[in-house]
Amino acid sequence: MTITQLQYVLAVAEYQNFTVAAEKSFVTQPTLSMQVQKLEDELDVRIFDRSKKPISITDAGKKIVAQAKNIVNEAKRIKDIVDQEKGFIGGEFTLGIIPTVMPTLLPMFLKTFINKYPKVNLVIREQNTDSLIRNLQDGHLDAGIAATPLDIEFITERPLYYEPFVGYVPPSHRLRKEEKLSPEDLDIHDILLLEDGHCFREGVVNLCKASQNFEDHFHLQSGSFETLVNLANEGLGMTLLPYLNAVDLDERKKSNLKYFEEPPPAREISLIYHKKELKLHITNALREVIASVVRGAIRFQDVKIISPVSKNGT
Amino acid sequence: MTITQLQYVLAVAEYQNFTVAAEKSFVTQPTLSMQVQKLEDELDVRIFDRSKKPISITDAGKKIVAQAKNIVNEAKRIKDIVDQEKGFIGGEFTLGIIPTVMPTLLPMFLKTFINKYPKVNLVIREQNTDSLIRNLQDGHLDAGIAATPLDIEFITERPLYYEPFVGYVPPSHRLRKEEKLSPEDLDIHDILLLEDGHCFREGVVNLCKASQNFEDHFHLQSGSFETLVNLANEGLGMTLLPYLNAVDLDERKKSNLKYFEEPPPAREISLIYHKKELKLHITNALREVIASVVRGAIRFQDVKIISPVSKNGT
DNA sequence: ATAAATTTATAAAAACTATCGATAAAACTT
DNA sequence: AAGTTTTATCGATAGTTTTTATAAATTTAT
């Protein structure tokens, strides 16, 4: 049994087709077919059922594929271990970012990072917190950026910055006359929120919960802050924006912003990664780059951190 | 990088010597040396420092060896997966048994098992509960036999039998005149106990705790029941024995046994294994064999199970 | 300090294996 | 039923692992 054979098996399992799998593995079809056969002979079990097309995986095959994935992944990590030992900052690095952070944070640090560490092949994925955690666990992500604290056993959280919430209050809104917002003033029923799954929503819900007894139903949920702002302008209520999104608004819309009293409620944005610390060198490099660019953009000493995790265990 | 190369590296790491490692790997020394070199070249890092003898492992090497162990172990499991899928009962199976169970239980089932399943290469290791749990976690053991309940997240417990405690009370002892023992009569200060680490001791301590407020100091601790019995005969106190140890005593000593009132305090002995259920077929076969031989030796309906785990978190 | 013994590295030859291109066989499509 | 797609088989070839033989380096013993 060789690692190559396992990789071939994984390719066939993925593409459900020997010819395609061979192409993707950069070998000819007979090469791949023979190696898969050899492994099947050695284990004395069929992994794939080729009697019909498209081919299917046998029961034993499913378990073998699962284990093969495991082995091939662990084998790949040998290279990471060596890189880390050498202090080499390079190779592939996959970073997941939650949707409400992505558009504002990514442009701030991306250029700086790829210039400073040109040998890192940075792969960015936009994912909500739940899939982010799952992908960190099974090794599909090397690190993630999410609202914290999450308090998950196998994850290390390294705070990057604290981002206050800012109110977007259109002229027609009852809170328009207030100089500063206070969490007690908020009414969850006239705040426009992002759709479920975005952890920013959980944060806002928690913020309102802190001052009100709150039942779980909303006027409306949308997928982007831009939509929320436009809906607010239509008189459908107010909305809350993270600070970095708020400063990105055009001048006309900025006039509708209302800040909170000190200390403003804020979300904690952290770099999170598996406690196994597999690519710690790159992770640390990333953290320093982000921290340095954010330091110029956000400067708040005293904030009140709002948890992104819903209390009733979503 | 091949699995063979990783195995060679592991052999060198284990024997700290290329020549011996080659013999143990059933290849010649140049074969092994060259493959290790090839891997070092591919990773571009020294794994072993050969400049002095005996050779030593580099820092990077240590990490590579740890990961290689992982990979090679996971690779071995492919074969297990296939065996299990086929319902084949065979291959290596490593079983850990706690010291206070080993001498009485092992002779009862070993012959039956190896006759019934001649293709299983059973490896038995005597280990205390703590190392048993550790070895189950890192895959060095396939199953274990220990006093339960342990209530450990990743472990499945399948009770095998309930073994009552029996008092060994020498003629001079104050409890000698009693017909039956009762937990309330016991005084931890004149019970001879096994040394720390044997979970049987924890069970007895818990039994006494149930009726007394108990401070942690003992007259004496020994490593074997035989010593305890002999010490008891010297007038140093009484001791408690598991039922199967008690019935193994010679006739003269048996006269000093005193049973508990119904329901007698008892320990639960279980077959424990990782929730991953890697060799479930063999584990189940083992459980059935043990359960069938024990059924003839111990027959109690109503017992009071004493936990083997110390309450103050040892 | 030098010789002997032990251990690891190197070199060339032999055995073995993965890969390829060409082609046959099987299964599916129309 | 013919054509298309997909997988298996075959022989040739390049590449790799392994072995035997031997050299180089290191340690131990005299």
Side-chain angles (χ1 to χ4, degrees), chain A residues 105 108-109 112-113 116 145 158-162 269-271 283-299:
Chain A
L105 184 64
M108 289 174 69
F109 75 82
T112 314
F113 184 83
K116 195 161 178 187
I145 295 177
R158 306 295 301 265
L160 292 168
Y161 59 92
Y162 297 92
I269 300 296
S270 297
L271 188 63
T283 310
N284 282 335
L286 187 65
R287 194 165 64 90
E288 273 175 36
V289 168
I290 297 178
S292 71
V293 297
V294 170
R295 222 170 284 139
I298 304 188
R299 221 164 328 179

Side-chain angles (χ1 to χ4, degrees), chain A residues 266-313:
Chain A
R267 59 174 182 172
E268 179 184 68
I269 300 296
S270 297
L271 188 63
I272 63 178
Y273 49 91
H274 201 290
K275 286 237 169 84
K276 278 184 181 163
E277 304 188 339
L278 285 165
K279 297 188 184 177
L280 195 57
H281 274 64
I282 305 183
T283 310
N284 282 335
L286 187 65
R287 194 165 64 90
E288 273 175 36
V289 168
I290 297 178
S292 71
V293 297
V294 170
R295 222 170 284 139
I298 304 188
R299 221 164 328 179
F300 298 94
Q301 293 106 21
D302 187 18
V303 294
K304 207 172 92 191
I305 297 158
I306 303 299
S307 165
V309 184
S310 82
K311 263 84 180 182
N312 46 37

Side-chain angles (χ1 to χ4, degrees), chain B residues 64-255:
Chain B
I64 292 170
V65 165
Q67 181 66 0
K69 258 184 201 153
N70 189 6
I71 295 168
V72 171
N73 272 331
E74 295 298 313
K76 272 187 195 158
R77 283 186 183 163
I78 292 256
K79 190 94 190 73
D80 294 339
I81 287 170
V82 174
D83 283 351
Q84 188 162 320
E85 193 62 26
K86 288 188 196 158
F88 170 75
I89 307 278
E92 186 148 295
F93 191 88
T94 314
L95 178 70
I97 308 184
I98 56 170
T100 57
V101 169
M102 185 91 159
T104 49
L105 184 64
L106 188 58
M108 289 174 70
F109 76 83
L110 189 59
K111 247 189 177 168
T112 314
F113 185 84
I114 59 177
N115 279 331
K116 196 161 177 185
Y117 302 104
K119 292 199 172 164
V120 176
N121 179 17
L122 196 61
V123 179
I124 310 268
R125 297 224 185 98
E126 182 171 306
Q127 298 188 317
N128 63 30
T129 306
D130 282 350
S131 26
L132 220 131
I133 291 164
R134 246 178 295 117
N135 286 322
L136 280 177
Q137 181 153 38
D138 62 22
H140 284 97
L141 283 180
D142 295 310
I145 295 178
T148 47
L150 298 167
D151 201 31
I152 290 173
E153 200 228 330
F154 64 89
I155 282 181
T156 304
E157 300 179 357
R158 306 295 302 264
L160 292 168
Y161 59 93
Y162 298 91
E163 186 174 23
F165 296 119
V166 181
Y168 184 87
V169 186
S172 59
H173 196 273
R174 67 178 167 85
L175 290 174
R176 179 65 175 209
K177 58 181 189 299
E178 308 290 335
E179 182 59 31
K180 292 273 183 183
L181 290 177
S182 147
E184 292 81 39
D185 300 336
L186 298 178
D187 179 357
I188 193 74
H189 297 98
D190 74 355
I191 295 182
L192 300 164
L193 286 177
L194 288 181
E195 65 193 19
D196 218 333
H198 289 284
C199 69
F200 182 71
R201 178 176 167 279
E202 299 293 345
V204 173
V205 169
N206 284 335
L207 174 59
C208 294
K209 265 187 189 165
S211 39
Q212 299 166 37
N213 223 355
F214 152 75
E215 304 295 317
D216 232 312
H217 54 93
F218 302 110
H219 275 141
L220 192 120
Q221 291 165 1
S222 165
S224 85
F225 289 118
E226 198 177 352
T227 314
L228 292 182
V229 167
N230 291 336
L231 291 170
N233 283 335
E234 295 295 321
L236 285 161
M238 63 171 291
T239 187
L240 289 180
L241 304 176
Y243 177 80
L244 290 174
N245 289 85
V247 296
D248 264 7
L249 294 175
D250 61 49
E251 283 308 317
R252 193 171 47 80
K253 285 175 178 160
K254 258 189 191 156
S255 63

